Amino acid sequence: MPLAPRAWGRPALSLARTEQRRTQTPSVKCPLFFFFFRRLGEKQLCVALLISSPLTVCSQCSVALFRSAEGLKEKDTSEEQAASPRGAGGDGQNLVTEDVTVVEGDVATISCRVKNSDDSVIQLLNPNRQTIYFRDFRPLKDSRFQLVNFSNSELRVSLTNVSISDEGRYFCQLYTDPPQEIYTTITVLVPPRNLVIDIQKEIAVEGEEIELNCTAMASRPATTIRWFKGNKELTGKSEVEQWSDMYTVTSQLVLKVGREDDGVPVICLVDHPAVKDLQTQRYLEVMYKPQVRVSQNYPVQGLTREGEPLELTCAAFGKPQPTDMRWLRVDDEMPQHVVVSGSNLLISNLNKTDNGTYRCEASNAVGKSHADYMLFVYDPPTTIPPPTTTTTTTTTIPTTITDTTATTEPAVHGFTQLPNSAEELDYGDLSDSRAGEEGAIRSVDHAVVGGVVAVVVFAMLCLLIILGRYFARHKGTYFTHEAKGADDAADADTAIINAEGGQNNSEEKKEYFI
């Protein structure tokens, strides 16, 4: 019967030492502390933890297997690992563990779990095959390893302040027959040490191409760099350099700038599993030539008429701010009575000679631009005389004749041409020139109604006259056959006697009335 682990103590150790002296195995050169042995038929299996005097793991071996009867044979740990692949189990037992991914400087937790445990010993080794924990005992002098949980079914150990040197395979061993072994891999992530944007030109001019470089240094694994201009994502070109186990990534962005890019942030964003929302940004500074606009202050709306004033204002915006601004008349000289004061142009009394195109020019260190205003002076408003109406009536058809006279100004305005473009004509308020037209329109409406009524009355009268004449022509005496044949009679009696048909034919006589 095998000894249970809870029965370990001095008798078990004495028995192990006796077995050691009996076998006289010369291949083991470091002190042996035997913890248990099992008898399998006529053979004995002894499992030992080899620990040197200062409680450091022996560098030559970690597990020694001693067999009797047929002889004792030592097996190294490499043979054990080949005999028990990862996740394999014997006697219904299985070792379970998971790989660990941790950011440099954080805490990694290694867990060795046993299914269907029979109280076999669990051991955890580092990538150098040194024992970290044997059951709940820590032979390794590394205080960063701390026991989190120990039971017959689990050994859980934490490793604080993880560094790249801690990366590798850690082995969980279970001392069963045959022994089992499984490994877990610790992967250490290193976020970028620094994120920097270098710009080719601090101040760019509108229309130029500038180059920006974003560098993410000393990361593991290599980072992915993304570019944004405002909320719009752009595409850059990345290069990766490897130094030992670390990676440096540089992304290049070529950007053509315009005036709308002035003050817009360019963002370099890093995608890395070890860090979230790591980004840096630079604000663009773009210089551009002035943008000029001419506005009409007076008259606010309506036509520019002869004798009235005109006031224009020129506004210019640029970077740097325009310092030189002037008014001129295109293809002609500026009239003598035009007053220019800074950005304002004033004509107190418009006349036909003022017609033309007036231009405002502004310039800065980048360039020069302008905006035009086209002026057309209309005639002054005139007073419209009231309409006159003449009515002539005949005996049969009343006739109305209306005579109206009106003068209307053409509905055309002078207009302002914006920078290097023309606007449509502005049809403004024409109430001052149409005040007299409304009365004329109302008079014309009444005349039209009167004419229609006269036409209707005339038509009715014509119809009555035609009907009267028709009935008059068909009015008179109608004839019968009673007196037929009496025209040749000398007297009435003879006429009666000579009447055709006499009395016998009276039933055939018919009357005709038209």
Side-chain angles (χ1 to χ4, degrees), residues 169-310:
R169 289 183 176 181
Y170 290 74
F171 300 90
C172 297
Q173 291 182 347
L174 182 66
Y175 292 109
T176 58
D177 185 20
Q180 299 179 44
E181 181 177 282
I182 189 174
Y183 66 85
T184 178
T185 302
I186 292 183
T187 303
V188 180
L189 305 178
V190 180
R193 294 284 189 260
N194 197 9
L195 191 63
V196 179
I197 293 181
D198 293 326
I199 189 168
Q200 182 183 14
K201 297 180 67 176
E202 295 292 336
I203 301 177
V205 178
E206 178 183 17
E208 287 185 343
E209 286 189 349
I210 60 173
E211 180 181 316
L212 297 93
N213 292 281
C214 183
T215 304
M217 300 166 47
S219 65
R220 184 180 184 188
T223 62
T224 300
I225 295 179
R226 300 167 63 190
W227 289 97
F228 291 87
K229 185 180 74 171
N231 296 325
K232 181 181 179 181
E233 185 169 2
L234 306 176
T235 302
K237 182 180 179 181
S238 297
E239 294 182 358
V240 180
E241 296 181 4
Q242 183 175 359
W243 301 90
S244 183
D245 293 335
M246 310 299 287
Y247 298 88
T248 297
V249 181
T250 301
S251 180
Q252 182 185 77
L253 177 67
V254 177
L255 180 63
K256 186 175 182 179
V257 296
R259 66 179 61 198
E260 66 278 1
D261 296 325
D262 183 50
V264 175
V266 175
I267 302 171
C268 174
L269 178 67
V270 167
D271 282 341
H272 194 273
V275 66
K276 293 182 179 180
D277 300 330
L278 177 60
Q279 65 181 31
T280 183
Q281 63 183 16
R282 291 287 296 270
Y283 287 91
L284 297 175
E285 187 172 355
V286 182
M287 299 177 63
Y288 52 91
K289 63 182 181 180
Q291 182 178 5
V292 185
R293 179 166 185 165
V294 175
S295 59
Q296 179 178 311
N297 295 340
Y298 186 86
V300 179
Q301 292 180 346
L303 301 175
T304 51
R305 298 183 181 277
E306 190 173 4
E308 295 181 351
L310 172 67

Side-chain angles (χ1 to χ4, degrees), residues 117-137:
S117 175
D118 64 350
D119 298 339
S120 298
V121 176
I122 305 174
Q123 182 179 222
L124 177 63
L125 293 83
N126 65 10
N128 297 325
R129 310 294 297 192
Q130 296 173 329
T131 302
I132 301 174
Y133 267 92
F134 186 89
R135 294 175 63 87
D136 57 350
F137 175 70

Side-chain angles (χ1 to χ4, degrees), residues 365-380:
V366 180
K368 180 172 64 175
S369 58
H370 66 271
D372 293 339
Y373 176 88
M374 186 175 293
L375 174 64
F376 185 83
V377 180
Y378 292 91
D379 294 330

Side-chain angles (χ1 to χ4, degrees), residues 304 329-330 332-333 335 347 350-358 373-378:
T304 51
R329 188 177 181 182
V330 180
D332 204 347
E333 294 183 358
I347 303 177
L350 290 172
N351 56 64
K352 295 289 186 178
T353 61
D354 297 330
N355 290 339
T357 302
Y358 294 82
Y373 176 88
M374 186 175 293
L375 174 64
F376 185 83
V377 180
Y378 292 91

